[in-house]
Every structure is written in C-alpha cells, then in structure tokens.
Amino acid sequence: MRRRDFLNVSGSALASTAARSLSAPLTALAASDALAAPGEDYRALVCVFLFGGLDNYDTVIPYDAASHARWAQIRGPLLGQYPVPRSTANLLPLTTPARFGARQFALPPEMPGLHALYQQGNAAVVGNVGPLVQPTDAAQFASGAAVLPPRLFSHNDQQSTWMSGGTEGAQFGWAGQIHDALLQAGVSSPNTFSAVTMSAGELLITGAETSPYHLVGGAALEPTLLQSGIVSRPIEDVPYFGADTVSVAGLPSNLVEHFKAASSAHDGLLEQDVDRLLRSSFAANARFKSAVAPSGASAGFPADPFGLQLRSVFEVMQARSTLGARRQLFVVTMGGFDTHSDQPGALPELQARLDAGISAFYAACQRAGLDQCTTLFTASDFGRTLAVNGDGTDHGWAGHHFVVGGRVNGGTIYGDLPPAEFGHALDAGAGRLIPSMSIEQYGANFAGWLGLDDTRIGAVFPNLSSFSPRLYMML
C-alpha cells in the first residue's frame, strides 16, 4: 500500500469519528466525565435494531386451531419449505391474555430462550407498533383522509423514522433526546460513555447534548482501525512519518502521536475544534481500554457478530463504576431481515441467532445482578406483508416486538395483534398492518423507566398526546 492510499484510509476514518462527534456541543465533550456515587441508581437501555424488516407474522404466530389454519392457508407456499414445520406441534405457545378471547399465539421453534423468558415473566410482546402521525384505520388510509408518516415502506426512511421520528437526514434520535432530558433533570450526568453503539444505529442515541461513542467489535474505533490489516503489510515510501524510523509494528503509536499533536499546526477555529475532538477521542479510547476488559463473567455468548455485540454491551455495563455512567443507552444490530426471497431458508437462522444472543445477554445480566437495571427492546424498519410473493414477503408497516428485562412486567402481550387475515380494519393491503401503537407510546414507556416525569416525556414526544393510552409495562 502506498503512502497516499494509507493516509486516505486512515485520515478519512479518523475524520469520520470527529465528524460524528460534531453533533454534540464542544463544551460537553471537553467537560470531564462526572463519576456516579457508590450505590447510585444505574439503568441501561439496550436497543436491538433488526435491519431489513422482521416478519411479524412468522414471529408471533397464530396458535389456536382456527387462526392457525387460516394463517397456514395464506402462508402455504412458504410453510412447506421451512426446516422445522410451523405446525402447532412444533410451535412454542405463549400464555395469552384473556382479552384476545379464543385467539392464542406462539413463537417459532427457533426461539426457545425468548419463550422461556416470556413464560417466566421477564419478557413481553408488544404488538402492532409503528410510526404514526395520528390514529389511522384502513378506511382512512384507502381514502387518503389520514395524515401518514412520509415515505412508508422505504428501508432507509423507515429506519430513520423508527429512530428519530423523521425520515433519512434527521439529526437527533428519540433515545438521545431522552438522555438530553435526563441530563437537564439531573438524573444523568455528562459522560462520554452514556450512549454507545456497537455497529450502527447511532441516530437513535444522538441528541443535542448526547453524542454516541462508537465501538467496532467491542473495541474503540481508533485502535481497531490503526491495528487493522491496513498497517500489517509492507509500506512503501513513507517519508511523511520518517522512512528511517517507522516500522510496521510502531506505526499505530506514531499515528496516534501525530494526530494528538496536529493542533499545533492549525490556526482556524473549525480546525482547532476538530483537533480538540480528535484529542478527546484518543483520551476516551484510552480510558475505555483501561476500564473495559473481557472476563469470565462475559462467557457464554454466541461467537457470531450479534452475540459479540451483546457481550461487548455487557462488558461496558460491568465497567459502569469506572466509566462513571449513571444512565447508558446502547444500540446493537442484526441485518438480513429483508426476506423478499428464500425466507424459509434465512428467517429461521436469523431468529435462532436473535434468540441465542438475547438469552445469553439476559443470563449474564442475571449472574452479575444487572437484570433489574437493564431493559432490552427490539425495533425494525417495519413488519412484512401477510401475502406471499413466491418464496418471501414484502415490505409492511407495523410489526411486533420484544421487551426483555428484570423490571419488565412480562409474560403478557401489550397492544394489539390483528388477525392473520385480509380486509380487516388495520389492513393497509396485502396484510400490511396499520399500527395501533405509535413509536411515541413505545418509547415513552422506556423514558419513564429511565427517570423522566410526564412533563419531560411530553417534551421529548410532542405528538404523544395524539395517542391513547400510554404504554406502561415496567415494574
């Protein structure tokens, strides 16, 4: 690799780190992290974002004889291709609230861990959640009378809408704004490690005063880049760093020292601001590396990328006292849920990985005594159509989600689970579900658990008053 190529890669990566940090005030980043007092209240909120659109109809499955038969009739072209048949004999039945009458529901056979957590009361299903401007039904949707969220059924826009309430290009996410409000209320303190993303989804946890700290594979972003294969190969023509003194082994530390000292060459205010951000990033990374380390307590996580992300979340939580965070927001992600084709081959494997990772995370939290102060929830671009397109399903609107934690009033279903049928009052066509619970209702539940009062919750979610009732599912 030639010098200019190496500098382009390394420089752009470091600049990207700084650019993402520019969404927070420089004074907040420059301030020293306030340490939480011993025994002080701690809470962690973990978002598992499922990129592509989780199929709600094949995650919370009709189980009573009549509903299952109709669902199986509609989904027939897919069901014969699943490795484990979706017959009632193989499904994992959920204790279903009496308000659903004769209707019963189950999880697929690939999700025994979440099934056990639900039955034990440590997990809940939240049904038919999605973006809404106002309560809407099929007649209003068909007539054009309803005010609708913009750019429905678009991956990028609906991912952004789920995280921020706005389409692609939005600046702040609702969880980041919750943390801003926690700062203003004195419930949380300024801390570099209050918002952490393990892969993507940083919009959700970005606020005016809250900036996400980025990890890649559980490691600080800058050390990962500087210790990658980029610098493990012979380097030609490196006079910029001093060809006689730089070795491949020593290059990462030389780069760090170079960027730390770069501010001395800049007179412009913006350049100096970026330099301060770079130095803050290096200092934060050094602090992170000294505080967070794998231990025996983090054993038992799956070795796939999703499991490793959750293991990293757990390790950061374990270091909460050293890092000084009273409230922490995390984002972990899984991709692959855009199952337009080969859904029978792809979805069961994804569900099994999701189940194994969440189960291992909850078990680790229990062993460490963190289960009562940790809540995990799922989110996704959208649900999928009930109609089959051949060997897959298409983009939907609302979906069903899981909330897991020791303080979750679990073992039940919140919200609605419309019938697996066409033509009902919440069918936007092809079995695309119109949400009966807004993202505001979903998010406000977590805001209250994290410590916000109703007035501050209303400021974070100004459209919350358009929907009733509020979701209360935390003990």
XYZ file of all heavy atoms in Angstrom, residues 1-13 230 238 240-241 255 258-259:
171
model
N 0.847 -1.192 0.000
C 0.000 0.000 0.000
C 0.884 1.244 0.000
O 1.819 1.351 0.777
C -0.904 0.021 1.243
C -1.754 1.282 1.354
S -2.842 1.271 2.794
C -4.072 0.115 2.244
N 0.582 2.196 -0.866
C 1.390 3.401 -0.943
C 0.933 4.417 0.107
O -0.170 4.348 0.629
C 1.301 4.007 -2.341
C 1.944 3.105 -3.389
C 2.056 3.784 -4.741
N 2.703 2.892 -5.699
C 4.006 2.757 -5.816
N 4.819 3.447 -5.026
N 4.521 1.921 -6.694
N 1.834 5.357 0.395
C 1.577 6.321 1.457
C 0.252 7.043 1.277
O -0.537 7.151 2.207
C 2.723 7.343 1.506
C 2.464 8.494 2.485
C 3.677 9.372 2.591
N 4.049 9.961 1.325
C 3.559 11.137 0.887
N 2.678 11.785 1.599
N 3.945 11.628 -0.264
N -0.015 7.539 0.052
C -1.227 8.334 -0.134
C -2.484 7.488 0.097
O -3.484 7.976 0.614
C -1.253 8.984 -1.519
C -1.239 8.025 -2.682
C -1.343 8.779 -4.014
N -1.186 7.896 -5.152
C -0.030 7.576 -5.702
N 1.085 8.080 -5.188
N 0.033 6.758 -6.736
N -2.431 6.193 -0.277
C -3.592 5.336 -0.053
C -3.796 5.097 1.428
O -4.918 5.109 1.937
C -3.405 3.986 -0.779
C -3.273 4.167 -2.277
O -3.962 5.054 -2.802
O -2.488 3.431 -2.900
N -2.681 4.848 2.121
C -2.780 4.609 3.552
C -3.337 5.833 4.274
O -4.217 5.741 5.129
C -1.408 4.248 4.108
C -1.406 4.143 5.608
C -2.010 3.063 6.225
C -0.823 5.134 6.377
C -2.020 2.968 7.608
C -0.837 5.043 7.755
C -1.429 3.955 8.372
N -2.850 7.005 3.917
C -3.309 8.220 4.577
C -4.760 8.509 4.260
O -5.498 8.989 5.109
C -2.433 9.407 4.167
C -0.989 9.364 4.683
C -0.214 10.542 4.133
C -0.963 9.361 6.199
N -5.193 8.203 3.041
C -6.593 8.413 2.691
C -7.499 7.561 3.564
O -8.512 8.025 4.077
C -6.844 8.071 1.221
C -6.319 9.144 0.294
O -6.118 10.280 0.709
N -6.078 8.782 -0.968
N -7.150 6.277 3.724
C -7.979 5.389 4.527
C -7.974 5.805 5.982
O -9.008 5.984 6.610
C -7.496 3.922 4.383
C -8.251 3.024 5.341
C -7.682 3.439 2.950
N -6.769 5.975 6.555
C -6.680 6.304 7.976
C -7.254 7.677 8.262
O -7.985 7.866 9.221
C -5.223 6.245 8.428
O -4.706 4.951 8.241
N -6.916 8.657 7.426
C -7.395 10.006 7.663
C -8.900 10.115 7.555
O -9.544 10.775 8.368
N -9.480 9.466 6.556
C -10.931 9.557 6.407
C -11.641 8.872 7.555
O -12.690 9.327 8.010
C -11.373 8.932 5.077
O -11.045 7.561 5.037
N -11.086 7.775 8.071
C -11.705 7.089 9.199
C -11.677 7.953 10.443
O -12.671 8.081 11.155
C -10.985 5.761 9.461
N -4.616 -2.876 7.567
C -4.095 -1.759 6.788
C -2.604 -1.550 7.068
O -1.827 -1.232 6.191
C -4.877 -0.470 7.117
C -6.323 -0.595 6.637
C -4.221 0.748 6.495
C -7.205 0.540 7.096
N 7.344 6.086 2.867
C 6.658 6.697 3.996
C 7.456 7.860 4.575
O 7.675 7.928 5.770
C 6.401 5.656 5.117
C 5.212 6.064 5.948
C 6.196 4.279 4.548
N 6.656 10.831 5.084
C 5.862 11.710 5.943
C 6.095 11.383 7.414
O 6.086 12.251 8.270
C 4.378 11.576 5.587
C 3.481 12.542 6.302
C 3.358 13.862 5.847
C 2.761 12.162 7.423
C 2.534 14.761 6.498
C 1.933 13.053 8.077
C 1.816 14.350 7.612
O 1.007 15.233 8.245
N 6.281 10.090 7.717
C 6.491 9.676 9.090
C 7.970 9.451 9.399
O 8.314 9.133 10.519
C 5.720 8.377 9.381
C 4.249 8.544 9.229
C 3.601 8.096 8.099
C 3.503 9.189 10.208
C 2.233 8.260 7.958
C 2.134 9.355 10.077
C 1.493 8.893 8.934
N 1.176 7.119 14.523
C -0.004 7.812 14.008
C -0.763 8.513 15.118
O -1.196 9.659 14.980
C -0.935 6.810 13.302
C -0.643 6.529 11.822
C -1.551 5.422 11.324
C -0.830 7.786 10.994
N 1.007 11.551 16.090
C 0.872 12.569 15.049
C -0.450 13.315 15.186
O -0.493 14.555 15.180
C 0.975 11.927 13.666
C 0.472 12.824 12.573
N 1.164 13.930 12.137
C -0.683 12.791 11.854
C 0.476 14.536 11.181
N -0.649 13.857 10.998
N -1.550 12.568 15.300
C -2.856 13.227 15.347
C -3.060 13.966 16.666
O -3.742 14.982 16.717
C -3.975 12.211 15.112
C -4.120 11.826 13.664
C -3.780 10.553 13.227
C -4.589 12.740 12.738
C -3.901 10.200 11.889
C -4.716 12.393 11.397
C -4.370 11.125 10.969
